[in-house]
Amino acid sequence: ITFTHATEPEGLSLPASRYTIGVAPTGATHPVATFGVPVAAGRRAWAVAAGSLSGKGDPFQLLIVDATDRDWTVTPLSPQ
């Protein structure tokens, strides 16, 4: 989903499954990294791309923030 096509504040409901999510810089037509993201029924989550693509600094990853419960959790995912 491009930034300009983000969902409404209440989010988007997806069936439980494993999804491949690609991360691309603005203006690019191909992702620089893809991630296998498991989606469980009844969960409320969102993702943040973080880290360096150049190999310097923190490794590039997708941080899955699960906001279903009062105490949010963060799960880092490495690119495929």
Side-chain angles (χ1 to χ4, degrees):
I1 298 174
T2 62
F3 180 74
T4 58
H5 291 99
T7 61
E8 296 297 324
E10 54 274 354
L12 174 69
S13 179
L14 295 174
S17 187
R18 183 174 183 86
Y19 293 88
T20 299
I21 294 179
V23 177
T26 300
T29 57
H30 299 289
V32 294
T34 58
F35 301 85
V37 180
V39 174
R43 306 307 291 179
R44 294 186 56 85
W46 45 278
V48 176
S52 172
L53 291 169
S54 70
K56 298 177 182 175
D58 293 329
F60 191 68
Q61 57 190 338
L62 196 64
L63 303 174
I64 306 298
V65 181
D66 187 336
T68 306
D69 301 319
R70 194 188 88 181
D71 295 325
W72 293 7
T73 60
V74 177
T75 304
L77 297 178
S78 297
Q80 293 180 331

